[in-house]
Amino acid sequence: MGRKKYGTKVKRTYNLYKRRKSPLRKALEAIGMIILVGGLGFLGYAAAPPVIEFFKNGMGAAETSSLEWKPEVTAPAETDSVDSTTTAPSDTSEDNTEVQPEAMAINAVLAPDTALESSAALASFVNSAKKKGYNYVVLEMKNQTGYVRYKSNLSKIKDTDVVTGAMTLAEINAIFEEADMKIIARMSTIKDSVGPKVITDGAVRFADDSYAWLDGRVENGGKQWLDPFRAPTSDYLGSIITELCRAGITDIILENTYFPEYNNYDYTILDQGFFADDRYKALSAIITNGNDFADKSGGKVYAKASLYDLLMSYDGYVGTAEFIKDLKFPVSIPVVLEFTKADFGEELKTGDSSSVKLPADSAELVKTLYSQAKRYTRNLEIIPLINTKGLSKKEIESIKTVLEELEYENYMIN
């Protein structure tokens, strides 16, 4: 998957007019022509035997000019074909070469929470999505509260309140196979308030390990989070990824991989690693470790970030986009970059004293923002995710056209 890449067009200029030749130059050219013809006659006589031999031997391959452009060969060389006049030796060994299927461009739609409430609801949504031209449906398998929305068999959570799913993974897969559609799973990572109550050694805790940390006062609805610095967190998320992949759901979007906002009191009770300049490495590790778990079971992960979080701070990356700070973040992991129109105003600040005026037209806004995002994402593969809230059907279709103009083969609609 990825954007199409084309070579840069080279603009060439040509002189359409020739200078008039002088009489002296015409005379010299005539003398030169006589010498050239005579020389060619001699060369023809000398070269005749080799040329005759060349044709007698079956017209050998001509050498390619050294000035000819040769594209870099990236595909493996084909095996030599067997001459039709020669009997090939029998080979009883089995060919174990794995044939890789051609990747399908992602044209995905995100399913609502209600789609996983029953098999009838899911089948209805999947069939509707297919009729609208989508080939993938994105299902939220673990939401930001931490609830696992399928019947998990993981021993750590199987008989706990963490699991709220109405269907098994096999039942979900059967519905997609019947409709000839594909699944992409979504799962929240460290933003998880119910998981830490079961995976207690993965919870964010005070520096002295005395209490579990909350993102606010209890009376104000303060919640727990998973700690990206702790190995049990990575192992827990990895076990869910593995379960999904082994069931055949091999494309997984990891989202909500970010730190919450901390207040002054938090600075006094939490480990200072939560405030370090390189804390983004812990976020990046959650994603790369997740990809390792997926890879072992034949799957892959995608990292989700907000387009606004990427662009709002010209001198850094914030919120859901903080992990992109890691220059070692693997280019093999695509980044799903979500656009929400309500996030943006009339201008986008690009420096201390510079800004970009943003267009009011939604399609042009998308074009401007994703073009700007290329400056922030190095050579990472970007998959646009369009949040349709506040957009008309006409605007959505115009945005799809713009994404194709920007050469995005893969995109998602929420």
Side-chain angles (χ1 to χ4, degrees), residues 319-385:
T320 60
E322 188 174 349
F323 71 87
I324 302 177
K325 270 187 176 182
D326 191 350
L327 298 179
K328 294 183 179 180
F329 186 79
V331 296
S332 59
I333 301 178
V335 177
V336 177
L337 212 50
E338 182 175 19
F339 161 78
T340 303
K341 186 175 182 179
D343 287 344
F344 298 93
E346 297 180 353
E347 291 186 335
L348 178 68
K349 193 171 184 181
T350 57
D352 286 331
S353 58
S354 62
S355 62
V356 174
K357 184 175 176 57
L358 297 177
D361 179 78
S362 296
E364 286 301 312
L365 177 61
V366 165
K367 186 175 184 178
T368 299
L369 294 175
Y370 279 101
S371 297
Q372 183 75 4
K374 291 180 181 180
R375 300 174 56 189
Y376 290 75
T377 51
R378 302 181 295 279
N379 56 344
L380 298 177
E381 178 185 353
I382 300 301
I383 299 178
L385 168 58

Side-chain angles (χ1 to χ4, degrees), residues 32-86:
M33 182 60 68
I34 294 171
I35 295 173
L36 176 62
V37 171
L40 287 175
F42 172 78
L43 288 174
Y45 175 80
V51 171
I52 294 171
E53 188 66 23
F54 171 83
F55 281 98
K56 286 175 63 179
N57 290 335
M59 297 178 67
E63 292 184 3
T64 305
S65 168
S66 60
L67 296 178
E68 182 180 355
W69 175 76
K70 296 181 181 180
E72 182 181 356
V73 178
T74 56
E78 295 181 356
T79 55
D80 295 335
S81 58
V82 180
D83 191 295
S84 59
T85 60
T86 306

Side-chain angles (χ1 to χ4, degrees), residues 84-370:
S84 59
T85 60
T86 306
T87 303
S90 59
D91 185 0
T92 59
S93 62
E94 184 180 355
D95 184 5
N96 293 322
T97 303
E98 183 179 355
V99 179
Q100 296 293 338
E102 184 177 351
M104 182 186 296
I106 295 175
N107 179 7
V109 60
L110 274 65
D113 292 343
T114 54
L116 283 173
E117 290 180 354
S118 68
S119 57
L122 181 59
S124 176
F125 182 84
V126 170
N127 288 317
S128 175
K130 184 175 183 179
K131 289 179 181 178
K132 293 177 181 178
Y134 295 102
N135 57 10
Y136 282 79
V137 170
V138 183
L139 296 177
E140 188 174 44
M141 296 300 202
K142 178 178 179 288
N143 64 21
Q144 64 181 6
T145 305
Y147 290 125
V148 174
R149 308 194 65 241
Y150 64 90
K151 290 183 178 179
S152 174
N153 286 317
L154 296 176
S155 58
K156 294 178 180 179
I157 59 175
K158 183 178 180 180
D159 299 316
T160 70
D161 294 337
V162 171
V163 178
T164 61
M167 293 175 283
T168 64
L169 292 175
E171 290 171 332
I172 293 172
N173 268 326
I175 292 171
F176 278 82
E177 289 174 2
E178 177 69 22
D180 192 25
M181 291 281 279
K182 303 291 184 181
I183 305 173
I184 297 178
R186 287 169 60 194
M187 60 176 286
S188 184
T189 56
I190 64 174
K191 187 175 185 181
D192 180 334
S193 59
V194 298
K197 297 175 182 178
V198 177
I199 315 297
T200 55
D201 51 357
V204 176
R205 302 185 65 83
F206 286 20
D208 62 4
D209 205 35
S210 57
Y211 298 99
W213 175 84
L214 303 178
D215 60 6
R217 299 179 68 87
V218 176
E219 58 269 26
N220 294 330
K223 297 176 177 61
Q224 293 192 55
W225 285 58
L226 287 171
D227 186 341
F229 292 99
R230 292 176 179 261
T233 293
S234 181
D235 292 340
Y236 171 54
L237 298 173
S239 66
I240 295 176
I241 291 170
T242 300
E243 185 175 43
L244 291 171
C245 289
R246 288 180 177 175
I249 302 176
T250 54
D251 293 286
I252 303 169
I253 298 173
L254 302 183
E255 57 187 13
N256 297 319
T257 311
Y258 69 98
F259 291 104
E261 293 185 10
Y262 300 109
N263 57 38
N264 292 334
Y265 178 62
D266 293 330
Y267 281 83
T268 67
I269 60 174
L270 292 177
D271 186 279
Q272 293 306 297
F274 287 99
F275 318 110
D277 291 339
D278 64 348
R279 67 177 191 172
Y280 59 81
K281 293 180 180 179
L283 302 176
S284 176
I286 285 292
I287 298 168
T288 54
N289 289 340
N291 193 56
D292 289 341
F293 277 101
D295 185 61
K296 291 175 183 177
S297 299
K300 72 176 299 183
V301 303
Y302 306 74
K304 183 184 171 188
S306 162
L307 185 58
Y308 177 74
D309 286 349
L310 177 69
L311 298 178
M312 69 169 288
S313 179
Y314 62 89
D315 59 350
Y317 304 79
V318 300
T320 60
E322 188 174 349
F323 71 87
I324 302 177
K325 270 187 176 182
D326 191 350
L327 298 179
K328 294 183 179 180
F329 186 79
V331 296
S332 59
I333 301 178
V335 177
V336 177
L337 212 50
E338 182 175 19
F339 161 78
T340 303
K341 186 175 182 179
D343 287 344
F344 298 93
E346 297 180 353
E347 291 186 335
L348 178 68
K349 193 171 184 181
T350 57
D352 286 331
S353 58
S354 62
S355 62
V356 174
K357 184 175 176 57
L358 297 177
D361 179 78
S362 296
E364 286 301 312
L365 177 61
V366 165
K367 186 175 184 178
T368 299
L369 294 175
Y370 279 101

